[in-house]
């Protein structure tokens, strides 16, 4: 097996073997002093990330940019189709040919499934899929699993043997699509898929997890499903993927998790995750603010982990892992970031 990720596109979790995941996570661990601002490195000084987000994003776009900056590189961005020449009819092919001449690596999000792969096929530099429609979000799945691994390790547990509930819009939620694929690389996983019947996880993803030997249960009842899991992974109704707002509104607020439900139905140490953004409007409120002080709410630790995982991807793809510490020094400014 070729473990070398130098120069590769990251388009789908399907391209990885378990050894790749171990490698990425080991490099991510080494990024902690830089992410925590204990040291700085200039290993990517002179390199440019093209951060091309043709669909709304807060944390994926900014954390890709921060991760590249933390390695010493610079970031150039475009946000939204309307602010790019795609709005004038330019093709993905031409856009990729041009932008890959300006950058050493590109992170891209686009509303159409398969579009990032199409862009990558024309790109002269590696491309990382930051989310293509309802298809995949591989870097999110990696940071999700990295979070699961760390949260379980604190309880002396491993990912093998994991019990996880995935909750919400499993049909259009690309983060659960990528995470489901990722879980097939592990063993003895119990997966409870909680969604409205119309928003169930695509059948081929369910089948792949069953072929991997996992116990997969499909349910439309939140309270029954979250009773005996290590991780309750909530997701937002992906209203931007529905044909109409009225259709999306049918499902909004169906699976609300709050402290009272957590206390009544979950085991005391169940970790609550969400790829974010959580929809905090009163009609949705899928993860209530009254969970904010629950120490098992891992959503902000999860978002923080996006930095080290994305730093690891950049370092591996641009082949600088062995040089990071050579170009590093302690920071000279005041650091006091409270842990959550
Ligand atoms: N999790 C995630 O993809 O968040 P953004 O849409 O803010 O990038």
């Amino acid at each position: 097996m070729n473990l070398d990720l130098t120069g590769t596109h990251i388009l789908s979790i399907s391209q990885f073997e378990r050894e790749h995941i171990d490698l990425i996570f080991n490099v991510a661990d080494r990024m902690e002093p830089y992410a925590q601002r204990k040291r700085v490195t200039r290993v990517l000084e002179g390199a440019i990330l093209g951060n091309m987000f043709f669909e709304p994003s807060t944390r994926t776009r900014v954390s890709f940019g921060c991760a590249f900056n933390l390695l010493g590189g610079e970031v150039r961005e475009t946000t939204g189709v309307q602010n790019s020449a795609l709005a004038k009819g330019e093709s993905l092919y031409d856009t990729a040919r041009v932008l890959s001449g300006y950058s050493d690596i590109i992170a891209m999000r686009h509303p159409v499934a398969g579009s990032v792969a199409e862009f990558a096929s024309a790109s002269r530099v590696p491309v990382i899929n930051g989310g293509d429609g309802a298809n995949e979000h591989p870097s999110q799945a990696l940071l999700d699993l990295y979070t699961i691994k760390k949260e379980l390790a604190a309880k002396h547990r491993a990912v093998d043997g994991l019990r996880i509930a995935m909750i919400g819009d499993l049909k259009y939620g690309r983060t659960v699509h990528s995470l489901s694929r990722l879980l097939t690389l592990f063993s003895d996983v119990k997966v409870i898929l909680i969604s409205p019947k119309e928003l169930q996880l695509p059948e081929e993803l369910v089948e792949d997890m069953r072929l991997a030997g996992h116990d997969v249960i499909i349910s439309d009842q939140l309270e029954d499903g979250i009773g005996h899991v290590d991780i309750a992974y909530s997701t937002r109704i992906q209203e931007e993927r529905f044909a109409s707002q009225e259709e999306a509104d049918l499902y909004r607020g169906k699976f609300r998790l709050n402290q009272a439900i957590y206390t009544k139905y979950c085991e005391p140490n169940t970790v609550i995750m969400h790829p974010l953004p959580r929809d905090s409007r009163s009609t949705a409120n899928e993860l209530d603010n009254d969970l904010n002080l629950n120490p098992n709410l891992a959503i902000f630790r999860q978002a923080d982990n996006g930095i080290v995982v994305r730093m690891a991807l950049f370092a591996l793809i641009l082949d600088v892992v062995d040089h990071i510490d050579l170009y590093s020094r302690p920071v000279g400014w005041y650091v006091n970031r409270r842990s959550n």
Side-chain angles (χ1 to χ4, degrees):
M1 180 198 319
N2 182 10
L3 272 183
D4 187 2
L5 293 178
T6 307
T8 55
H9 302 306
I10 306 295
L11 300 174
S12 167
I13 287 296
S14 304
Q15 72 193 78
F16 293 123
E17 303 289 343
R18 180 152 170 177
E19 289 77 3
H20 290 114
I21 308 307
D22 294 338
L23 174 67
I24 294 165
F25 288 1
N26 285 338
V27 176
D29 287 344
R30 287 178 53 189
M31 298 301 174
E32 287 289 352
Y34 303 103
Q36 293 172 13
R37 316 298 201 272
K38 292 179 178 159
R39 295 189 70 78
V40 288
T41 178
R42 308 300 303 161
V43 72
L44 287 185
E45 190 164 28
I48 294 176
L49 166 69
N51 215 17
M52 307 298 152
F53 276 68
F54 300 111
E55 193 181 53
S57 171
T58 295
R59 75 227 79 230
T60 310
R61 180 174 64 80
V62 176
S63 67
F64 267 126
C66 288
F68 208 74
N69 287 150
L70 286 166
L71 289 166
E74 293 191 32
V75 181
R76 295 289 177 268
E77 298 198 315
T78 187
T79 54
V81 170
Q82 290 311 316
N83 295 327
S84 80
L86 290 176
K88 302 175 186 172
E90 186 165 51
S91 66
L92 281 174
Y93 177 89
D94 286 4
T95 307
R97 297 297 293 176
V98 171
L99 293 178
S100 59
Y102 299 163
S103 320
D104 298 283
I105 187 165
I106 290 172
M108 178 177 166
R109 172 173 290 185
H110 192 283
V112 177
S115 56
V116 182
E118 181 185 343
F119 181 97
S121 68
S123 172
R124 293 172 277 172
V125 298
V127 176
I128 305 178
N129 181 0
D132 62 321
N135 183 33
E136 280 230 37
H137 194 345
S139 66
Q140 177 71 44
L142 290 168
L143 78 88
D144 287 344
L145 189 71
Y146 185 76
T147 304
I148 291 169
K149 183 170 181 265
K150 286 182 80 162
E151 297 288 327
L152 291 181
K155 294 159 186 156
H156 310 290
R157 295 270 315 282
V159 175
D160 295 311
L162 169 73
R163 303 167 301 161
I164 182 170
M166 298 188 199
I167 304 155
D169 181 354
L170 308 183
K171 177 180 180 182
Y172 295 118
R174 56 192 171 202
T175 73
V176 287
H177 298 170
S178 291
L179 184 57
S180 301
R181 290 196 166 102
L182 194 45
L183 291 176
T184 64
L185 302 180
F186 292 79
S187 61
D188 191 26
V189 177
K190 180 169 184 177
V191 186
I192 300 154
L193 302 170
I194 304 169
S195 71
K197 287 189 172 52
E198 299 81 4
L199 300 182
Q200 287 177 353
L201 194 74
E203 188 57 33
E204 68 270 19
L205 295 175
V206 176
E207 275 312 302
D208 283 351
M209 287 196 285
R210 288 189 170 137
L211 282 173
H214 297 342
D215 181 11
V216 183
I217 296 167
I218 295 172
S219 169
D220 59 2
Q221 300 297 318
L222 177 70
E223 289 81 1
D224 295 344
I226 58 176
H228 301 286
V229 293
D230 305 300
I231 306 286
Y233 185 105
S234 177
T235 63
R236 181 179 62 89
I237 299 299
Q238 307 284 299
E239 60 184 26
E240 62 273 33
R241 311 275 175 237
F242 287 79
S244 69
Q245 190 63 54
E246 291 70 30
E247 191 189 351
D249 288 345
L250 293 175
Y251 305 107
R252 194 193 305 283
K254 280 248 186 278
F255 299 107
R256 298 176 187 216
L257 184 56
N258 59 28
Q259 187 57 51
I261 293 169
Y262 181 89
T263 304
K264 184 168 181 187
Y265 293 102
C266 290
E267 292 176 356
N269 283 326
T270 298
V271 174
I272 305 163
M273 293 178 58
H274 192 301
L276 302 180
R278 58 175 158 170
D279 186 344
S280 292
R281 290 171 288 192
S282 59
T283 49
N285 208 19
E286 59 231 5
L287 282 187
D288 198 294
N289 283 337
D290 72 0
L291 290 162
N292 284 357
L293 295 179
N294 184 326
N296 290 307
L297 184 75
I299 57 177
F300 301 118
R301 296 192 289 276
Q302 185 180 357
D304 284 352
N305 288 334
I307 294 287
V308 289
V309 168
R310 291 180 171 122
M311 288 176 80
L313 290 176
F314 288 136
L316 286 160
I317 295 167
L318 296 176
D319 195 20
V320 294
V321 172
D322 292 337
H323 307 299
I324 291 160
D325 298 331
L326 288 178
Y327 289 85
S328 84
R329 58 176 169 75
V331 302
W333 63 84
Y334 172 72
V335 181
N336 182 17
R337 183 169 283 103
R338 287 184 306 166
S339 64
N340 56 338

